[in-house]
């Protein structure tokens, strides 16, 4: 009886975590859309703010004894931090070179790629029902790409690279939590500042830093407040996705992507704006 109660409680926690992640993921898409449309804040710089705020949030949590940091060798987190930066760069390039529909559908291919990576590289097995769901996902993406009137070969290359790097990132998050025996907060506490430092180096090559349109440009108070709010919600998104992967699997975490995309893409015009503001 006690084990049944514990099982129900555990499933309830996972369901609550998935729901929370879905809500904050939808929220950040619309908030980023607002920031881009009304303030024109640059995408990579906004992502940098997200990771800095995430690290600050975790630092505060650590000071409040919500979790205890665990000493981790930076060399073992280097690929994880680098894969995050690569996934941001390639998904942004995919967004710039594809239609919003193609961009959103390409992200759905992350699930089949994750399953392929875990099957061939980590010898994990998946049920027949899960494997069968990959057929409509893959066919849908292929058919959309084939009949896309604005087909862009370079855009598809960026989309493919984005899917590959994102899939590796999701798999490595779960693998590192188990390998290093750390929870979501402990891993993100080290990964966030490393990714921030890498993006800080990359931003000047792709976006202005000072002056009009730069991260340190003359932004209004309302713009700065919205960017800060976006950073706080990004902290919730990052923390919840790490928690989901640590308590379930990268595949479970990726089922959130189509749900969020569907909420945003109800109107082509709104989807276009939302996609440009994604971080």
């Amino acid at each position: 009886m006690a084990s049944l109660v514990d099982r129900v409680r555990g499933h309830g926690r996972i369901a609550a975590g998935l729901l929370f992640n879905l809500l904050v993921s939808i929220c950040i898409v619309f908030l980023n859309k607002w920031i881009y449309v009304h303030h024109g804040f640059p995408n990579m710089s906004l992502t940098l703010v997200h990771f800095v705020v995430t690290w600050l949030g975790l630092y505060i949590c650590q000071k409040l004894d919500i979790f205890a940091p665990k000493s981790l060798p930076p060399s073992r987190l280097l690929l994880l931090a680098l894969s995050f930066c690569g996934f941001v760069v390639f998904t942004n390039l995919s967004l710039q070179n594809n239609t919003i529909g193609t961009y959103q559908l390409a992200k759905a291919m992350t699930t089949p790629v994750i399953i392929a990576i875990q099957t061939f590289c980590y010898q994990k097995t998946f049920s027949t029902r899960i494997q069968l769901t990959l057929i409509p996902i893959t066919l849908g993406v292929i058919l959309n790409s084939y009949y896309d009137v604005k087909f862009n070969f370079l855009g598809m290359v960026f989309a493919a690279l984005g899917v590959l790097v994102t899939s590796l990132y999701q798999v490595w998050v779960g693998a590192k939590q188990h390998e290093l025996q750390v929870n979501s907060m402990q891993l993100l506490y080290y990964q966030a500042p490393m990714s921030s430092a890498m993006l800080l180096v990359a931003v000047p090559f792709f976006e202005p830093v000072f002056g009009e349109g730069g991260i340190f440009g003359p932004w209004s108070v309302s713009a700065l407040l919205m960017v800060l709010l976006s950073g706080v919600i990004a902290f919730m998104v990052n923390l919840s996705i790490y928690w989901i992967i640590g308590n379930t699997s990268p595949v479970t975490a990726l089922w959130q992507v189509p749900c969020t995309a569907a909420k945003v893409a109800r109107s082509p015009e709104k989807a276009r704006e939302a996609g440009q503001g994604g971080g």
Side-chain angles (χ1 to χ4, degrees):
M1 183 64 181
S3 61
L4 178 60
V5 172
D6 291 339
R7 195 179 309 148
V8 171
R9 189 177 300 161
H11 289 326
R13 288 173 63 245
I14 291 174
L18 289 169
L19 179 60
F20 178 77
N21 178 262
L22 178 61
L23 292 176
V24 292
S25 296
I26 293 171
C27 183
I28 199 169
V29 168
F30 283 100
L31 181 57
N32 286 353
K33 176 196 71 173
W34 176 273
I35 292 171
Y36 181 81
V37 171
H38 295 277
H39 301 291
F41 204 86
N43 286 326
M44 286 187 68
S45 297
L46 185 60
T47 304
L48 175 59
V49 172
H50 287 175
F51 264 71
V52 171
V53 173
T54 294
W55 180 78
L56 290 175
L58 288 167
Y59 181 78
I60 293 172
C61 290
Q62 176 255 321
K63 287 298 182 181
L64 295 174
D65 293 326
I66 295 176
F67 76 100
K70 185 176 180 179
S71 180
L72 300 175
S75 59
R76 298 181 71 176
L77 296 178
L78 186 62
L79 282 178
L80 181 64
L82 187 62
S83 66
F84 168 75
C85 298
F87 122 69
V88 172
V89 170
F90 287 126
T91 51
N92 281 343
L93 288 172
S94 170
L95 181 60
Q96 293 171 7
N97 290 274
N98 291 311
T99 63
I100 293 299
T102 299
Y103 166 75
Q104 295 283 18
L105 278 176
K107 291 199 300 183
M109 280 299 296
T110 308
T111 300
V113 174
I114 281 182
I115 290 178
I117 292 173
Q118 291 194 314
T119 299
F120 296 108
C121 299
Y122 292 87
Q123 288 73 53
K124 291 192 176 182
T125 57
F126 297 89
S127 68
T128 304
R129 287 191 303 173
I130 290 180
Q131 294 177 23
L132 288 175
T133 62
L134 305 184
I135 298 175
I137 293 175
T138 306
L139 285 178
V141 173
I142 292 174
L143 288 174
N144 175 80
S145 302
Y146 183 79
Y147 289 106
D148 190 349
V149 294
K150 295 183 179 179
F151 178 81
N152 185 323
F153 178 76
L154 183 61
M156 294 307 298
V157 171
F158 288 140
L161 289 172
V163 166
L164 177 61
V165 177
T166 301
S167 302
L168 287 171
Y169 175 71
Q170 295 278 13
V171 170
W172 286 343
V173 166
K176 287 298 180 183
Q177 288 193 46
H178 293 288
E179 174 190 335
L180 301 173
Q181 292 298 297
V182 293
N183 61 33
S184 56
M185 284 187 163
Q186 290 171 328
L187 182 59
L188 195 53
Y189 183 76
Y190 280 90
Q191 189 255 316
M194 291 180 65
S195 295
S196 299
M198 293 175 180
L199 282 178
L200 187 62
V201 173
V203 163
F205 293 96
F206 298 95
E207 297 172 354
V209 178
F210 300 97
E212 193 70 28
I215 187 172
F216 296 114
W219 300 102
S220 65
V221 174
S222 62
L224 294 176
L225 288 175
M226 294 298 284
V227 168
L228 179 61
L229 178 60
S230 177
V232 172
I233 297 177
F235 165 60
M236 300 177 187
V237 172
N238 292 327
L239 192 59
S240 61
I241 200 70
Y242 267 57
W243 184 88
I244 291 169
I245 292 174
N247 287 272
T248 55
S249 71
V251 175
T252 304
L254 259 294
W255 289 123
Q256 300 291 83
V257 173
C259 295
T260 305
K263 291 285 185 180
V264 177
R266 287 175 179 172
S267 162
E269 292 303 318
K270 288 185 178 180
R272 185 176 298 109
E273 295 171 351
Q276 291 288 341

